[in-house]
Amino acid sequence: MPALIDTLARTVLLPVMASGALLFIAWRLSRKQPVTTRGPWAAPLALVAGLVLGQGALGAMAWPPMEAIHWLPLLALLATALVLLERGISSPSWAKHGLRLVLFMALPFSLLSPLIEHSWGPVEGFLWVVALGLAGFGLALVFEQVARRSQGFALPLQLVLLATGSSIALVLSGSLLLGQLAGILAASIGVFMVLAFFFPSLSLAGGTMTVFSIQLAGLWMVGYFYAELTATIALILFLAPLAVWLSRATSPVRFVPRFG
Amino acid sequence: MNSDTRNLIYIVALSLVVGLAFVLPASARAGEVYQVDSAHSSILFKSSHMGLGNTYGRFNDFSGKFAIDQKNPQNSSVEFTVKAASIDTGDAQRDKHLKSPDFLNAKQFPVITFKSQQAKKLDEKSAEVKGTLTLHGISKTVTVKIQKIGEGKDPWGKQRLGIETTFTVKRSEFGMNFMPMAVGEQVKLIISVEGILQKDEGRHARAD
């Protein structure tokens, strides 16, 4: 199989088929429920299925994790498990925020542990983990808030554009692999964009954005610390979701982000 | 010839042999440690590109030492450390790619090391060395045949010895399996080093 077709099959077709199949099953299982209530459990599962299968097809998974990128599917699965647990157990808002904060602290800690061990030392490592963990947590909060106010294809389209832009930036940073992983993310979330044409009330609120955020933030971190993604590009990518958020803000007071 | 004369000849012969041992070139003495002279050493590699051609490259930053024990060749040893980020294929864009998480992941795994475990003398100019090669965070035992190139004193009176080895590694065995269609699975390494005898360490058998 020519290399280009093989790459497309692994990074686009497979994630799309996996995410699409899972959403189709969810739709068949609960057709009588409105899409808005089906989405919260089916959507994160569909997204993580696309991510894990796509990364597996690229041969970028290992147990135990050897490299930073090997942590990405595990953290996406952990995020999905957390989201599904929240759906099953009623918990106060502070507990949801606390668990997500721990999850987003685990992201830089696991990705950057070789640098903490060999290059930075505990103090610098701690500062990086806290700063990046808070940034990731903030990113997820912003996405979640936007998702709670959005239905239809607009938000998935913006996410596809963001993931595609990240893919291009990561390829330019010197890593085709990271670019392909961001491509898998774009393809997986792209399924929701297509579905939104048929189900205009489709919502990504309630957990999907946590899975998306952890994967996207993780790819940026790996790109910056292990490839040559520049600080400027990383910052621009990080600020892009804030622009989406601010563009929809009606009142700063009413627009305090929180998880559902 | 009576027995006293024979004994005298044996003693003289033995003395000559012992005496020669001290004036022979450096490698004839036991436990000599050589520090790698990176200016006169090279680590080269060759890998297939899409099965159409070969790409050659080198590592520019490395250090190491080797010890040669003629009396007990099994005590000879080799130690090598290579900076992964010093990879140089003559194309900056390709070097950036090779240093990225796609291949060497040089920021996460900054060094490539080789440390011998045992050595066996094959003949006067070659030895077989078994050791641990750590590449991309994965350690594997490899056996390499080391060939002696030559030895002698440089213009500054320092004793030098040159050795060379060629061996092949499968990159997938070291966790580098990205782009299997574009980059060859087998990577051939040619390591040619010149060592300078360390006077103060000359009596220590092992490089470590």
Side-chain angles (χ1 to χ4, degrees):
Chain A
M1 192 187 294
L4 186 64
I5 297 173
D6 180 70
T7 304
L8 284 174
R10 287 166 194 251
T11 57
V12 178
L13 267 181
L14 192 66
V16 163
M17 284 169 69
S19 298
L22 233 146
L23 286 172
F24 179 76
I25 292 166
W27 174 68
R28 292 288 296 172
L29 286 177
S30 54
R31 257 193 298 188
K32 286 176 185 169
Q33 291 178 35
V35 175
T36 42
T37 57
R38 285 203 299 268
W41 72 266
L45 268 181
L47 181 59
V48 84
L51 296 178
V52 171
L53 275 175
Q55 186 155 347
L58 275 183
M61 281 171 73
W63 182 262
M66 289 282 301
E67 297 182 61
I69 54 162
H70 297 156
W71 283 101
L72 293 176
L74 297 177
L75 288 162
L77 282 168
L78 192 65
T80 309
L82 178 71
V83 164
L84 295 181
L85 198 70
E86 280 177 0
R87 298 292 304 165
I89 303 167
S90 176
S91 52
S93 179
W94 63 265
K96 288 179 181 175
H97 282 80
L99 280 172
R100 275 180 170 77
L101 189 59
V102 170
L103 180 73
F104 278 95
M105 290 290 171
L107 175 71
F109 181 76
S110 49
L111 297 185
L112 308 178
S113 56
L115 297 177
I116 297 169
E117 196 178 330
H118 301 297
S119 306
W120 292 340
V123 177
E124 192 179 350
F126 175 78
L127 292 173
W128 272 115
V129 167
V130 170
L132 294 170
L134 285 173
F137 178 72
L139 184 76
L141 269 176
V142 165
F143 274 140
E144 182 65 25
Q145 186 60 30
V146 173
R148 283 162 65 86
R149 291 168 160 256
S150 304
Q151 286 185 335
F153 80 95
L155 179 62
L157 172 66
Q158 285 165 333
L159 298 179
V160 168
L161 291 175
L162 184 60
T164 307
S166 300
S167 173
I168 294 165
L170 287 165
V171 168
L172 293 175
S173 79
S175 174
L176 288 179
L177 178 60
L178 293 179
Q180 287 182 351
L181 293 178
I184 289 169
L185 183 62
S188 302
I189 203 77
V191 173
F192 294 89
M193 186 182 76
V194 175
L195 281 180
F197 284 106
F198 302 101
F199 304 103
S201 61
L202 184 87
S203 166
L204 294 178
T208 313
M209 298 318 302
T210 303
V211 181
F212 182 85
S213 306
I214 205 153
Q215 189 76 4
L216 191 64
L219 285 168
W220 293 343
M221 286 180 205
V222 177
Y224 178 71
F225 289 102
Y226 296 111
E228 293 186 24
L229 187 70
T230 62
T232 312
I233 300 292
L235 194 65
I236 289 170
L237 289 171
F238 177 72
L239 291 176
L242 292 178
V244 174
W245 176 43
L246 290 172
S247 69
R248 294 173 192 213
T250 48
S251 156
V253 179
R254 286 177 55 204
F255 216 66
V256 177
R258 64 184 173 86
F259 290 111
Chain B
M1 191 185 294
N2 62 29
S3 64
D4 286 347
T5 310
R6 269 204 304 272
N7 285 343
L8 186 65
I9 290 168
Y10 285 146
I11 289 166
V12 170
L14 187 64
S15 303
L16 274 172
V17 169
V18 172
L20 272 175
F22 285 97
V23 294
L24 272 175
S27 66
R29 296 195 300 267
E32 295 149 341
V33 176
Y34 289 83
Q35 194 76 35
V36 168
D37 173 16
S38 55
H40 298 96
S41 303
S42 303
I43 300 178
L44 311 171
F45 64 87
K46 178 178 98 169
S47 176
S48 165
H49 174 240
M50 297 173 75
L52 303 172
N54 290 320
T55 300
Y56 290 80
R58 56 184 292 148
F59 288 94
N60 293 326
D61 192 350
F62 54 86
S63 60
K65 50 187 175 179
F66 53 93
I68 296 174
D69 190 334
Q70 289 284 11
K71 283 183 182 169
N72 301 297
Q74 71 276 10
N75 287 341
S76 299
S77 63
V78 184
E79 245 183 68
F80 233 84
T81 301
V82 181
K83 296 266 175 69
S86 71
I87 194 166
D88 178 3
T89 61
D91 183 287
Q93 204 62 29
R94 180 169 52 214
D95 293 345
K96 191 162 96 168
H97 191 199
L98 290 169
K99 283 184 259 184
S100 80
D102 298 14
F103 294 99
L104 290 170
N105 201 353
K107 285 186 183 163
Q108 184 165 352
F109 307 111
V111 292
I112 300 163
T113 61
F114 177 81
K115 188 166 183 167
S116 67
Q117 291 157 344
Q118 63 185 71
K120 189 170 80 180
K121 186 176 177 180
L122 298 176
D123 56 48
E124 286 309 308
K125 291 204 111 186
S126 63
E128 194 176 79
V129 176
K130 190 176 173 184
T132 305
L133 176 66
T134 303
L135 167 61
H136 195 242
I138 294 174
S139 297
K140 294 264 176 201
T141 300
V142 296
T143 303
V144 299
K145 189 180 172 186
I146 294 177
Q147 199 77 30
K148 180 173 146 186
I149 305 297
E151 64 179 315
K153 287 193 186 299
D154 64 19
W156 297 273
K158 287 179 180 171
Q159 183 66 29
R160 287 172 175 266
L161 189 144
I163 56 173
E164 187 169 296
T165 182
T166 301
F167 61 101
T168 302
V169 294
K170 289 183 178 176
R171 66 185 181 101
S172 65
E173 287 182 353
F174 291 89
M176 291 182 283
N177 46 19
F178 190 62
M179 295 176 79
M181 285 171 281
V183 182
E185 158 73 339
Q186 309 240 351
V187 180
K188 188 174 183 179
L189 285 147
I190 303 157
I191 301 173
S192 186
V193 299
E194 221 174 270
I196 302 171
L197 181 66
Q198 302 300 289
K199 296 285 183 193
D200 51 342
E201 293 182 69
R203 291 291 155 192
H204 300 292
R206 296 191 66 82
D208 53 357

